[in-house]
Amino acid sequence: MSPPRPAPEALTRRRLLKRGLFGGALLALGGSAALATRGGLSLPLPPEGLQVLGPREYATLQALARRAFPPRPGWPDADTARVALTADGLLARGDPAVAKEVKDLLGLFDNALAGFLFAGRVTPFSRLAPEAQDAAFEAWRTSRLVLLRTGHQALRTLVYSAYYVHPAAAAATGYVPPEGFHDANAVAWKGEGPRPAPGPVTRKEGSTP
Amino acid sequence: MSGRIFTGDELTEDRVVTCDVCVVGSGAGGGVLGHELARRGLDVVMLEEGGYRTRRDFDMKEATAYPAMYQELANRATDDLAISILQGRTVGGGTTVNWCASFRTPPEILQRWRDVHGVKGLDEATLAPHWDWLEERLHIRDWPIEQANRNNQLLWEGLGKLGYSRGTVKRNVKSCAALGVCGLGCPTDAKQSMLVTLIPDAVEQGMRLFANVSARRLELDGSRVVAVHADVLDPRTDRPTGKRLTVKPKVTAVCGGAINSPALLLRSGLDGRGLVGKRLFLHPVVISTGRFRERVEAFFGAPLTVYSRQFIDRGPGKLGWLIEVPPIHPVLASVTMPGFGAAHQELMAQLPYANAVISITLDGVQPGDVGGTVSLRGESEYSRLKVEYPLTDFHWEGFREALKVAARLQFAAGAEQVLSPHSSPVVMRSEKDVALLDPAPYAPLMCRVASAHQMGGCAMGGSRETSVVDSTLRYWDADNLFVVDGSVFPTALGVNPMQTILGVAHWGSQHVAAAVGGRS
Ligand SMILES: Cc1cc2nc3c(=O)[nH]c(=O)nc-3n(C[C@H](O)[C@H](O)[C@H](O)COP(=O)(O)OP(=O)(O)OC[C@H]3O[C@@H](n4cnc5c(N)ncnc54)[C@H](O)[C@@H]3O)c2cc1C
Ligand code: SF4
C-alpha cells in the first residue's frame, strides 16, 4: 500500500493562513483591548467574584450559554445553571496557559473587528440579536479555517461541560446517581493500621460473587 | 515494614528521600511494577501527580470525577482539538476510572512486535503465567450476556442479526453491583483497580506513595539518573505549593502513561535520538448514536461487556476496528452529541433512549501509519505538552466504513434513528439511509473523533536507531532508567489495553529489579 497521505489542506490561501502564524495573530487580535472598541454585553458579576474570566469574557460566555440552553420546562436555563461562573471555576482548576488561551478566544469571538473580517458585521457577538448570534457561532463551526472550527469546539465544550455538571441539568436528561452506594465517611486507608474491608454492597441483579 | 501513602497537604517542607526504585506514576504499569518490586523486598517510592481519591470521594457525579481524576479535567485533546483524549490522573491512574474490560494481547500483535519491531522475548507463552496471576488477583472473569445491560444487549443482538462475530468481555470486578459508573470511580470498591488491589498490597509491603506530587525532571549524571525532581501540588487547587520532593533512587521507572511519560523524558533532555514522543497511538474512536423506542439507560449497568473483532483486519492498507459500546453520561454525551441550542437539548432529553456504538480503530499496524507525536511547547520544565495526530484519508476511509457498520448494527437491533458524529450529523431513519454517510464531510472537527486508549511515545524495539527502550524496557541510552507503561507499545493493540500493560509490567518487573543490584 502507499503510506497514508496527509489530509487535504482545508485552507485555501495556505501560506497566508498557516496555523500558528495567522492563528497567533488572530488570538492577539482577540486579546487586544484597543481593537475591541465596540463595547460588548455587560452583565452583573456574580457575588462570588471571578477567578479567571474578565467581565467582558464572562458576559460573552454567558451570552453564548443563553443560546445553548434556551428555556425548556423542567430544565435549568443558562442563568439558573450559572454556566459562565461554573466555566470560570473549571478554567481556574486547569492549566493557567489554557485559561489564557480561552480568554483570548472569547476576546476574539466577541471582537467587532474580527466579526467584520470574518463575516462583515461590526456588532460584537454578545450584542447581536439571538438569531444572529446563532448564525455567528454556526459560521465558526462550518468555517474553512481550522482555527475557527477549533475555537467553536473549545467554546462549545466549555459551555456544555459547565451546564451539564449542574445536578438539575444532569437530572433533566434522566441520569440520577444510584442511591445507597456512596459512603462519604468511608475510611481512606493510608497505610496505618489494618486495611478496611471493601465497601458494603447492596446486591442486585447483575452482580458478580 | 509498612509503607505509607502521603498526600500533598502533608508535605509542608522540601524533602529529599532515597530509595531503591522511584516509580513515577501509579496507573496500570506503575501499580503492578511498584507491587512486584515491593514484594521482592525493595525500597520503593512511587510518585503520583493526581490525588488520592478513594470510594469516599466517588459520588457518581461527573462534576466531581472529571476535574479531579482525569488529565486536563477530561479536556485533554490533540492540538487542533480534533481528537478528544480521556486519560486518568489519580492514584491508580486509568485503572481507577476505566470501564473494566480486560483482554489478553492478541497473539498477532505480539508477533508483529517481534517480527517488525525487533522486540525479543515477549510472546504469548512468556506472558501467560503473568496474566494467570493477574487474572486471579484482580478477579478477571467473564461477564455473561444474561447480566449485560440493555446497551450491550442491543449490540449483541445487532451483531447476531448481521451474522458478525461477537463475544462477551472479561472484567476485573468482585461483587460488582453494576452501577455503571466505572468511569467516575467505583463507589463500592468492586472494581479491582490498582487503587484497591496492588497499590495497598505494595504499601503493606513497605512502599511509600506520594500523591499530589508531579515529577518535573530527571537529573542525569552521564548515563545514570541520579535524582527525580518533583513539585508538591495542593490537593485542593492542583497548583504547586512551592515545596519540592527530590527522590534519589538507584533505579527510576517512568510509568506516567503514553503522553506524560514521553513528556517527562523530553523535559529532562532525553529525546532518544528524536524518537521520544513519536509513534503515539490513540485507537481513534468514532461514535454512532442510536435512538430506540425502549429505554436503554446506558448510564446504568456494567458499561462494556460485549465486543466484536469482525472488522479488525480488513486487509493490507485498510484501517480495521474493534466494536464495543460505552456508558453514556450527560456531560460526555453533551460534548459528543451534535447540534446546538434547542435541537441539542432535544437530543439530550432522549438520553435514556440512546445507545452508542464505538468503533475503536487499530492504528500503527499498517506500513506508513506512524501515529502521532508528543512534544513540548517550550524548553522549560513547565512548558505544556502538545499532542499532534494527523488524520489522513487512510483514517477517514476507516471511520466512514466503521460508521456504516455501526449504523447497520443499530438498525438491526431496532434503532428508530441513528446519528453520525459529524458536527452536522447525518440523520438516518432506516438501513437505506446508511448510504448518506458516504458523501458526508470527513475532516478534522467536521467529524468527532475520541480516544480513551493512549499507547506508544516511548516505543520498545530491537535497535536504538528505531526505538526508545530495549526489550527489557530500559531506555537505550541510560543504565538505570526504565519505562513501564502503555507508552512502550510499538503499535496499538486492537483490544482495550489495560491487561496488556499490566502483563508487560508484571513481566518487566524482573528487569527493573535486576537493575537495582547492578545485574541488568
Ligand atoms: C474512561 C476510560 C475508560 C477506559 N476503559 C478501559 C477498559 O475498559 N479496558 C481497558 O483495558 N482500558 C481502558 N482504558 C484505558 C486504560 O485505563 C489505560 O490504557 C491504562 O490505564 C494506561 O496505563 P498506563 O500505566 O500506561 O498509564 P495510566 O494508567 O494512565 O497511569 C499513569 C499515571 O501516572 C501519572 N503521572 C503522569 N505523569 C506523571 C508525573 N510526571 N509525575 C507523577 N505522576 C505522573 C498519571 O497521573 C497517571 O495516574 C480506559 C481509559 C479511560 C480514561
Ligand atoms: S459497574 Fe461495578 S465496578 Fe463499575 S462502578 Fe459499578 S459497581 Fe463498580
Side-chain angles (χ1 to χ4, degrees):
Chain A
M1 79 171 256
S2 57
R5 282 181 290 118
E9 181 55 70
L11 312 177
T12 42
R13 299 181 324 236
R14 191 167 175 222
R15 280 188 56 206
L16 181 66
L17 303 182
K18 216 169 170 192
R19 249 193 115 232
L21 184 66
F22 189 58
L26 272 183
L27 288 175
L29 175 71
S32 153
L35 289 164
T37 44
R38 300 212 160 210
L41 179 70
S42 104
L43 289 179
L45 295 182
E48 299 89 334
L50 295 167
Q51 302 177 67
V52 170
L53 298 176
R56 179 149 180 198
E57 295 145 4
Y58 171 80
T60 303
L61 197 60
Q62 192 61 18
L64 184 64
R66 287 175 179 172
R67 296 313 302 147
F69 312 108
R72 181 185 171 108
W75 293 57
D77 63 22
D79 290 351
T80 311
R82 309 183 83 194
V83 175
L85 177 67
T86 307
D88 180 66
L90 289 172
L91 291 169
R93 266 206 80 136
D95 187 323
V98 174
K100 162 88 173 59
E101 282 172 17
V102 172
K103 282 162 66 76
D104 285 351
L105 183 63
L106 282 165
L108 176 70
F109 188 56
D110 202 38
N111 186 296
L113 178 59
F116 180 70
L117 289 176
F118 298 136
R121 61 168 166 81
V122 290
T123 309
F125 168 84
S126 59
R127 286 210 173 278
L128 291 172
E131 296 70 30
Q133 287 182 331
D134 292 348
F137 193 48
E138 174 68 4
W140 274 36
R141 180 182 75 75
T142 53
S143 171
R144 298 178 69 190
L145 298 179
V146 176
L147 176 77
L148 296 195
R149 302 211 300 267
T150 302
H152 176 97
Q153 173 67 15
L155 295 181
R156 183 181 189 277
T157 303
L158 188 59
V159 289
Y160 278 131
S161 323
Y163 178 76
Y164 283 103
V165 295
H166 192 285
T173 69
Y175 176 66
V176 180
E179 280 181 21
F181 291 92
H182 175 230
D183 177 3
N185 298 314
V187 178
W189 180 80
K190 287 181 151 185
E192 293 151 328
R195 243 156 99 178
V201 176
T202 309
R203 295 281 294 278
K204 69 172 198 178
E205 208 186 334
S207 66
T208 54
Chain B
M1 179 179 69
S2 182
R4 176 88 154 80
I5 297 173
F6 300 88
T7 47
D9 46 2
E10 297 172 276
L11 304 172
T12 52
E13 290 174 356
D14 287 354
R15 277 176 78 167
V16 179
V17 294
T18 56
C19 61
D20 289 326
V21 184
C22 178
V23 175
V24 179
S26 66
V32 171
L33 180 67
H35 177 266
E36 286 305 292
L37 299 174
R39 186 182 65 75
R40 287 173 169 88
L42 296 175
D43 182 9
V44 182
V45 165
M46 179 179 279
L47 309 182
E48 168 56 53
E49 66 179 9
Y52 180 46
R53 317 281 296 188
T54 68
R55 74 184 164 96
R56 67 188 287 161
D57 307 295
F58 301 156
D59 60 8
M60 299 178 268
K61 294 186 184 132
E62 291 179 287
T64 320
Y66 300 144
M69 296 197 289
Y70 282 71
Q71 295 287 347
E72 302 183 37
L73 292 72
N75 282 321
R76 181 165 271 185
T78 49
D79 194 41
D80 59 0
L81 305 192
I83 309 181
S84 35
I85 297 174
L86 290 176
Q87 198 173 18
R89 184 181 186 268
T90 186
V91 170
T95 72
T96 301
V97 293
N98 77 16
W99 301 337
C100 307
S102 305
F103 288 89
R104 292 189 177 197
T105 322
E108 66 275 14
I109 293 291
L110 294 172
Q111 280 156 23
R112 168 170 287 274
W113 290 3
R114 181 192 65 201
D115 298 342
V116 179
H117 299 276
V119 173
K120 298 183 189 72
L122 198 62
D123 54 28
E124 246 188 311
T126 310
L127 282 169
H130 299 283
W131 280 325
D132 288 345
W133 186 88
L134 285 157
E135 285 166 7
E136 196 49 41
R137 175 65 187 93
L138 307 182
H139 213 260
I140 293 174
R141 304 276 192 279
D142 197 37
W143 186 267
I145 189 65
E146 303 76 54
Q147 293 184 6
N149 69 2
R150 196 67 196 123
N151 197 26
N152 281 277
Q153 278 173 3
L154 289 170
L155 174 59
W156 181 262
E157 288 166 18
L159 289 164
K161 289 212 174 113
L162 297 188
Y164 295 153
S165 69
R166 59 185 185 179
T168 51
V169 173
K170 289 188 162 56
R171 304 180 68 226
N172 57 321
V173 297
K174 203 173 186 176
S175 302
C176 167
L179 302 176
V181 287
C182 300
L184 311 178
C186 177
T188 65
D189 282 351
K191 187 201 298 190
Q192 300 296 288
S193 64
M194 294 300 104
L195 173 71
V196 303
T197 57
L198 301 192
I199 287 177
D201 286 2
V203 170
E204 280 183 336
Q205 313 219 39
M207 184 174 86
R208 284 170 287 168
L209 164 59
F210 294 89
N212 312 111
V213 171
S214 173
R216 303 311 306 169
R217 187 172 56 84
L218 311 178
E219 180 187 334
L220 275 97
D221 181 3
S223 63
R224 293 186 69 76
V225 175
V226 292
V228 180
H229 296 280
D231 277 346
V232 176
L233 308 180
D234 181 330
R236 280 158 297 276
T237 63
D238 222 20
R239 295 270 183 272
T241 61
K243 303 297 167 222
R244 306 276 291 190
L245 179 69
T246 307
V247 187
K248 298 197 165 173
K250 291 181 185 152
V251 170
T252 297
V254 174
C255 308
I259 300 180
N260 284 49
S261 284
L264 175 59
L265 295 184
L266 291 171
R267 286 201 301 266
S268 311
L270 298 167
D271 78 345
R273 295 149 205 263
L275 295 172
V276 170
K278 300 282 163 48
R279 293 194 75 79
L280 173 75
F281 300 110
L282 295 177
H283 268 173
V285 169
V286 281
I287 307 171
S288 179
T289 308
R291 194 183 71 210
F292 288 75
R293 270 184 206 91
E294 58 175 306
R295 284 179 79 85
V296 180
E297 299 193 333
F299 31 72
F300 296 137
L304 195 173
T305 58
V306 169
Y307 76 101
S308 171
R309 298 188 86 229
Q310 174 79 30
F311 297 93
I312 201 71
D313 182 2
R314 292 199 300 141
K318 293 268 171 83
L319 185 65
W321 65 87
L322 161 76
I323 302 171
E324 292 175 346
V325 297
I328 308 179
H329 287 95
V331 172
L332 279 192
S334 72
V335 296
T336 315
M337 295 263 196
F340 190 70
H344 183 274
Q345 272 181 325
E346 189 52 38
L347 286 178
M348 291 299 292
Q350 301 294 323
L351 209 62
Y353 299 87
N355 143 281
V357 168
I358 49 178
S359 305
I360 302 174
T361 58
L362 168 55
D363 47 348
V365 301
Q366 298 293 341
D369 180 10
V370 294
T373 309
V374 181
S375 59
L376 301 178
R377 288 171 200 265
E379 298 284 295
S380 104
E381 206 173 297
Y382 292 95
S383 55
R384 270 171 69 211
L385 54 81
K386 173 170 170 174
V387 179
E388 289 168 297
Y389 193 103
L391 291 169
T392 68
D393 288 352
F394 160 77
H395 298 100
W396 294 119
E397 187 274 342
F399 297 156
R400 191 186 64 224
E401 295 309 309
L403 289 172
K404 290 201 241 173
V405 169
R408 284 195 194 104
L409 282 169
Q410 290 169 307
F411 285 123
E416 56 178 10
Q417 186 189 72
V418 175
L419 292 183
S420 77
H422 291 87
S423 69
S424 176
V426 177
V427 182
M428 293 162 274
R429 296 209 162 72
S430 73
E431 236 279 19
K432 68 176 175 11
D433 292 341
V434 171
L436 298 173
L437 285 166
D438 278 322
Y442 293 91
L445 296 150
M446 293 282 191
C447 179
R448 299 281 321 129
V449 182
S451 162
H453 301 162
Q454 304 76 34
M455 295 154 281
C458 300
M460 170 171 37
S463 128
R464 62 179 70 221
E465 314 311 324
T466 56
S467 57
V468 173
V469 300
D470 68 17
S471 298
T472 68
L473 305 180
R474 185 168 44 180
Y475 185 76
W476 277 107
D477 300 319
D479 298 339
N480 63 346
L481 174 61
F482 290 79
V483 183
V484 186
D485 59 22
S487 70
V488 303
F489 294 2
T491 69
L493 304 176
V495 292
N496 310 54
M498 172 179 67
Q499 197 174 337
T500 301
I501 300 170
L502 300 170
V504 166
H506 203 263
W507 160 85
S509 63
Q510 60 184 312
H511 301 299
V512 182
V516 176
R519 290 171 283 110
S520 48

